[in-house]
Amino acid sequence: AVVSTQSTESSGINAEYGGIANKRYTDYEVRLKTNLPIFRVQECSVRRRYSDFEWLRSELEKESKIIVPTLPGKALKRLLPFRGDDGIFEEEFIEDRRQGIESFINKIAGHPLAQNEKCLHMFLTEPMIDKNYVPGKVRTH
């Protein structure tokens, strides 16, 4: 499974700048391309925010037997007011975080035990994450 990410600063789904300052966020287009039979689709694309990656990591730590890789940090200092730059919306920061997230998701998607987890399938293929889902394993047909 190959997963790639592309980041966009959004105030909605489309990549655009705008919105009230505290409503701005960056989201990531997560594209899956695979020929593994465990995945019910060979190609798809979903949009995810950083908090969605944190959710996936937490679910995998609870449900799977794998050592889950780390995510790039929260960047709390970048959220402080009166900065001389764009903080978490600085292009270099966004690109560094995107690369870290891409590395994280590729390690997970390439792990045979993680590939059986429902949370990973939902994360990679469903437009919305149902955080009330019932954890479990995916079965191949």
Side-chain angles (χ1 to χ4, degrees):
V2 175
V3 182
S4 61
T5 59
Q6 180 177 0
S7 62
T8 53
E9 181 187 336
S10 292
S11 51
I13 298 258
N14 297 324
E16 59 188 38
Y17 292 93
I20 302 165
N22 64 354
K23 296 290 183 200
R24 287 168 72 189
Y25 62 86
T26 302
D27 69 4
Y28 302 87
E29 179 185 16
V30 179
R31 291 188 301 267
L32 170 69
K33 192 172 189 169
T34 183
N35 59 5
L36 294 171
I38 188 104
F39 291 99
R40 60 182 174 74
V41 294
Q42 289 191 319
E43 282 189 51
C44 66
S45 172
V46 293
R47 298 202 83 80
R48 297 289 181 246
R49 291 175 67 172
Y50 182 80
S51 58
D52 297 325
F53 290 91
E54 290 181 309
W55 172 85
L56 176 62
R57 186 173 193 284
S58 155
E59 289 300 301
L60 288 168
E61 283 185 326
K62 285 190 286 191
E63 302 303 329
S64 75
K65 304 266 188 287
I66 71 168
I67 296 168
V68 184
T70 57
L71 275 167
K74 274 296 262 185
L76 297 176
K77 285 192 177 114
R78 286 188 169 268
L79 296 172
L80 295 173
F82 311 116
R83 290 180 57 87
D85 62 16
D86 240 353
I88 62 169
F89 300 109
E90 190 93 338
E91 277 184 41
E92 187 179 333
F93 170 75
I94 290 173
E95 178 55 18
D96 286 350
R97 180 178 262 188
R98 186 200 65 75
Q99 288 176 7
I101 283 173
E102 189 167 300
S103 171
F104 164 82
I105 199 68
N106 272 304
K107 285 176 186 167
I108 290 171
H111 196 293
L113 293 177
Q115 289 167 0
N116 294 323
E117 296 296 333
K118 282 185 182 175
C119 59
L120 177 64
H121 285 253
M122 184 170 46
F123 182 89
L124 291 174
T125 63
E126 299 292 330
M128 300 294 292
I129 294 175
D130 174 10
K131 296 194 175 163
N132 297 315
Y133 85 113
V134 177
K137 307 289 183 225
V138 173
R139 303 275 176 243
T140 52
H141 304 290

